[in-house]
Amino acid sequence: MPETRVPRRRRFLVCEPRHFAVQYAINPWMRPDRPVDVPLAQAQWQALVDIYRAHGHTVETVEPVPGLPDMVFAANAAVVVGGRVFGSLFRAPERRPESLPYDTWFKSAGFDVYRPESVCEGEGDFVPAGRWLLAGTGFRTTPEAHREAQEFLGVPVIGLTLVDPYFYHLDTALFVLEDAADGTDGNIAYYPEAFSPGSREVLARLYPNAVIATREDAMAFGLNSVSDGRHVFISPGATALADQLAHHGYLPVPVDLSEFHKAGGGIKCCTQEIRS
């Protein structure tokens, strides 16, 4: 364990939860009969933005669109690697219109945007991890999208099968702690039981020193976290995981996004990273 981990400045894209609501159910967390406190959601979201900026990160925003209550979950809109944007094609018809405003934002910012032919949900299921791209499937993104992403991005894709509907996206079950550097493969934190047996074996081989989360911490959205290599922006409910991270030399930064848990999202879901 290094004495001092060094953070890397990040560039994030977010979307204000002006129209956030739970109007339909497309995962086990969503209950339309449980109303969202929109002012509270806005306050929690703003706190996240303020904390990112206080830690030296750049935060940009895309304008929310009325009638798209899940547009706040910016991570699902694309995955950006080396300045290339691999867009989204949501499984749920209710979310498919979200792709256009994000594509428009990226194009106006000068990015090359690819519109996939297969169902895929951005960083929800694609997690850049240094030399390769970890890619989830089982509930949303399809294996065909994994092949499309590899062809467009030119990065080897490691397919991982999710088996627990509460962890319907890869970014609810795993996050990157540090990118590969100096010939190493970096490291991750994850919840093994969210994955098929074969996928668990793959992760154990790739990341023998990974931080292993309990189901309690995973259910508290502890793995829907964002790391800059030193600071880990994490759900305050994931206390055991935060303790583990501190033991490994990271600095947990608790950020309460509990209102977004009602839709099955958290810190990472609200955060798209732009990798130039």
Side-chain angles (χ1 to χ4, degrees):
M1 182 182 74
E3 292 184 5
T4 303
R5 296 189 182 276
V6 179
R8 181 173 64 83
R9 290 190 176 183
R10 310 295 174 113
R11 181 184 178 192
F12 298 134
L13 179 64
V14 299
C15 181
E16 179 191 351
R18 195 181 309 160
H19 310 295
F20 177 52
V22 178
Q23 297 178 345
Y24 42 79
I26 56 174
N27 66 56
W29 302 94
M30 301 181 83
R31 289 178 47 188
D33 61 344
R34 186 169 58 164
V36 168
D37 184 333
V38 175
L40 176 57
Q42 290 182 307
Q44 291 179 345
W45 177 88
Q46 187 61 55
L48 176 65
V49 170
D50 292 344
I51 287 171
Y52 281 153
R53 288 175 173 157
H55 284 79
H57 304 302
T58 299
V59 181
E60 300 177 59
T61 59
V62 61
E63 185 68 14
V65 175
L68 299 180
D70 283 341
M71 193 176 163
V72 64
F73 298 125
N76 302 161
V79 58
V80 186
V81 178
R84 298 179 182 179
V85 179
F86 187 84
S88 62
L89 178 62
F90 289 93
R91 178 171 295 280
E94 295 92 338
R95 296 199 66 185
R96 290 198 170 183
E98 295 175 34
S99 299
L100 180 57
Y102 280 102
D103 287 356
T104 300
W105 188 94
F106 280 113
K107 288 177 181 177
S108 67
F111 289 90
D112 180 16
V113 178
Y114 176 88
R115 294 299 305 273
E117 298 178 0
S118 307
V119 170
C120 60
E121 302 200 354
E123 284 189 326
D125 277 321
F126 287 114
V127 177
R131 71 179 70 180
W132 43 62
L133 187 66
L134 303 179
T137 191
F139 296 101
R140 301 290 183 84
T141 299
T142 65
E144 290 76 18
H146 294 181
R147 289 190 283 272
E148 280 191 75
Q150 181 168 279
E151 287 301 309
F152 177 70
L153 297 172
V155 178
V157 170
I158 307 294
L160 301 167
T161 301
L162 297 161
V163 296
D164 187 325
Y166 280 96
F167 309 107
Y168 59 92
H169 271 158
L170 184 60
D171 72 357
T172 65
L174 175 155
F175 73 98
V176 172
L177 282 164
E178 57 189 73
D179 292 327
D182 301 324
T184 68
D185 295 327
N187 204 10
I188 65 170
Y190 71 105
Y191 170 53
E193 284 70 24
F195 298 91
S196 67
S199 296
R200 291 199 296 269
E201 286 193 36
V202 168
L203 289 170
R205 288 174 182 270
L206 293 178
Y207 300 101
N209 299 313
V211 175
I212 304 301
T214 65
R215 183 174 182 82
E216 289 74 20
D217 282 337
M219 292 290 286
F221 288 83
L223 294 167
N224 197 240
S225 296
V226 171
S227 171
D228 65 13
R230 176 170 171 77
H231 308 99
V232 178
F233 306 94
I234 187 171
S235 167
T239 54
L241 179 57
D243 288 344
Q244 279 202 75
L245 295 173
H247 177 74
H248 284 79
Y250 299 95
L251 293 179
V253 181
V255 187
D256 181 13
L257 257 64
S258 55
E259 202 62 19
F260 297 93
H261 297 179
K262 295 177 179 178
I267 294 168
K268 177 55 192 172
C269 288
C270 291
T271 309
Q272 167 74 235
E273 183 173 349
I274 302 174
R275 300 169 185 82
S276 299

